[in-house]
Amino acid sequence: MDTANEIKKLRTDMGMNRKEFCDYYNIPYRTVTDWEAGKRKMPEYVLELMEFKADVEQLKTANT
């Protein structure tokens, strides 16, 4: 799976629209739009960190 599809899948799996996703990660809207459209390529490590944060936050809410 390419990065553009992976970022879009992460966002949809989190149940967020693009604005919510951008606000959550503090990433400019245009940047995420370009990543999802395949106009810009995000570094692999950024996606890994985003997935890690999503996993950690999910665990935090599950344990409280």
Side-chain angles (χ1 to χ4, degrees):
M1 185 181 283
D2 67 319
T3 308
N5 287 334
E6 288 183 39
I7 190 75
K8 192 179 294 186
K9 182 178 180 338
L10 175 62
R11 179 174 61 79
T12 57
D13 287 350
M14 293 174 72
M16 295 183 179
N17 64 36
R18 197 174 287 141
K19 177 159 179 15
E20 293 168 334
F21 188 79
C22 292
D23 290 345
Y24 180 76
Y25 285 108
N26 198 29
I27 298 172
Y29 186 88
R30 181 67 182 247
T31 300
V32 173
T33 300
D34 287 349
W35 285 342
E36 289 186 359
K39 293 180 182 177
R40 295 173 64 185
K41 184 167 170 58
M42 74 182 311
E44 288 286 327
Y45 73 90
V46 173
L47 180 61
E48 291 174 10
L49 289 171
M50 292 171 81
E51 289 171 336
F52 178 77
K53 179 179 177 173
D55 290 343
V56 168
E57 292 295 321
Q58 185 177 16
L59 290 176
K60 283 183 183 177
T61 58
N63 290 330
T64 55

